[in-house]
Amino acid sequence: MNTSSADSGRVHDAPSNNWVYRVLPRALWPYAQLARWDRPIGWQLLMWPCLWSAALAAGAARELGSFSAGRFLFHVFLFIVGAIAMRGAGCTYNDIIDHDIDMEVARTRSRPLPSGRVTRFEAKAFMVLQALAGLIVLLQFNSFTILLGILSLAFVAVYPFAKRFTDWPQFFLGLAFSWGAIMGWSAEFGTLSVAAIILYAAAIAWTIGYDTIYAYQDREDDELIGVRSTARRFGDNPRPWLIGLYGIAVLLMFFAFLAAGAGFFAYAALVVAAATLAYQILVLNIHDPLQCLALFKFNGVVGLIVFSGLVLALLVRLI
């Protein structure tokens, strides 16, 4: 199955009808796969904490009389482009580091590097190009936000190695993937706040939860090759852990909204988001890889729900 995926130019765990395969020339497919353009859920999950923070900060700025609709929309645009660029660069970096591991895991064996469709040099060059695109985006922000963006690279650098020394690599992913929860606020105010820091902690807990569900796809292969994960750590009974992680995420979001003075619709959306997280835990079947992947992807909807509530709360203040 994996061999045929590689022979066809596809990867095992990405939809074959994605726009990448309909629009891009075949020679560019491996690079799109390195950047995960054929799997947009990754950049969406990286983007949502950024947009949550930007919308939360915009609401606070409205109360202070310093809100600018143009600035908010520009920040949203920058965070979307930056998430796509930096998620692509990060995935390419991960694939370079995990080259040997990916060759041993059924789900990842058809990726461009282990299948031989790109060389390590080509992957490194592509990673640099994506990082430069991310840098151009970062330089549009204020100096404090630029500094925060640079500091985030420490977590990005460590994450691929975490599965080699801890059962909690998802925590390190959370540190990196949730960083936007403070950058959205700093982009608006040039400083940090208690609300942004709490939101960052909430996003970390959320990330650990959804990536644990994702990791159950590879648990058997990971056990064979010695790769560590929260899926292996939680074993056959992850529900208490997921209840704790998602519960902490929702509770901390509530306190972040409270600290920033978010409006009614932000809390209403949080209730809906909490229900969707509870649904994931209720129906989870860790022995069904396709369901694990579907539930993981569903967190993109969770992110949208929270953001929509924050935007609605902002619009009410503007009326």
Side-chain angles (χ1 to χ4, degrees), residues 249-262:
V250 171
L251 187 63
L252 289 177
M253 281 188 204
F254 172 80
F255 284 123
F257 294 175
L258 203 62

Side-chain angles (χ1 to χ4, degrees), residues 102-117:
D102 285 346
M103 294 179 70
E104 302 298 326
V105 177
R107 186 177 58 83
T108 59
R109 200 173 293 139
S110 58
R111 288 179 178 175
L113 272 170
S115 65
R117 287 180 288 120

Side-chain angles (χ1 to χ4, degrees), residues 105-108 214-223 232:
V105 177
R107 186 177 58 83
T108 59
Y214 183 82
Y216 271 100
Q217 297 177 91
D218 300 328
R219 187 170 61 142
E220 293 181 3
D221 284 333
D222 288 347
E223 288 174 354
R232 291 189 61 195

Side-chain angles (χ1 to χ4, degrees), residues 125-208:
F126 184 53
M127 177 187 70
V128 171
L129 287 175
Q130 293 174 95
L132 287 174
L135 178 61
I136 291 172
V137 169
L138 182 62
L139 292 177
Q140 308 310 305
F141 292 109
N142 58 55
S143 57
F144 183 64
T145 304
I146 293 172
L147 175 61
L148 286 178
I150 294 171
L151 291 176
S152 72
L153 295 178
F155 298 131
V156 174
V158 170
Y159 166 65
F161 300 98
K163 64 175 70 71
R164 295 164 170 83
F165 64 80
T166 177
D167 289 339
W168 292 83
Q170 281 70 24
F171 171 71
F172 288 88
L173 178 67
L175 292 175
F177 247 56
S178 305
W179 197 252
I182 59 176
M183 290 186 65
W185 188 279
S186 70
E188 176 66 34
F189 292 112
T191 60
L192 287 182
S193 71
V194 171
I197 293 171
I198 296 174
L199 186 65
Y200 177 53
I204 292 173
W206 178 54
T207 303
I208 298 171

Side-chain angles (χ1 to χ4, degrees), residues 49-66:
C50 304
L51 299 193
W52 296 347
S53 185
L56 193 64
R62 178 68 181 87
E63 290 300 297
L64 295 172
S66 61

Side-chain angles (χ1 to χ4, degrees), residues 8 10-11 14-19 21-22:
S8 68
R10 267 73 163 179
V11 290
S16 296
N17 62 347
N18 187 270
W19 70 269
Y21 307 112
R22 290 183 281 106

Side-chain angles (χ1 to χ4, degrees), residues 87-98:
R87 190 261 182 152
C91 286
T92 305
Y93 170 68
N94 288 354
D95 281 4
I96 293 168
I97 299 299
D98 290 343

Side-chain angles (χ1 to χ4, degrees), residues 7-77:
D7 291 343
S8 68
R10 267 73 163 179
V11 290
H12 176 65
D13 57 346
S16 296
N17 62 347
N18 187 270
W19 70 269
V20 163
Y21 307 112
R22 290 183 281 106
V23 175
L24 296 182
R26 190 183 178 98
L28 295 182
W29 289 3
Y31 298 98
Q33 292 161 355
L34 281 172
R36 308 296 196 271
W37 294 341
D38 55 344
R39 281 164 285 178
I41 184 60
W43 66 258
Q44 292 167 7
L45 292 173
L46 178 61
M47 172 191 72
W48 287 126
C50 304
L51 299 193
W52 296 347
S53 185
L56 193 64
R62 178 68 181 87
E63 290 300 297
L64 295 172
S66 61
F67 171 73
S68 164
R71 184 172 62 247
F72 171 63
L73 292 174
F74 184 51
H75 287 170
V76 168
F77 169 75

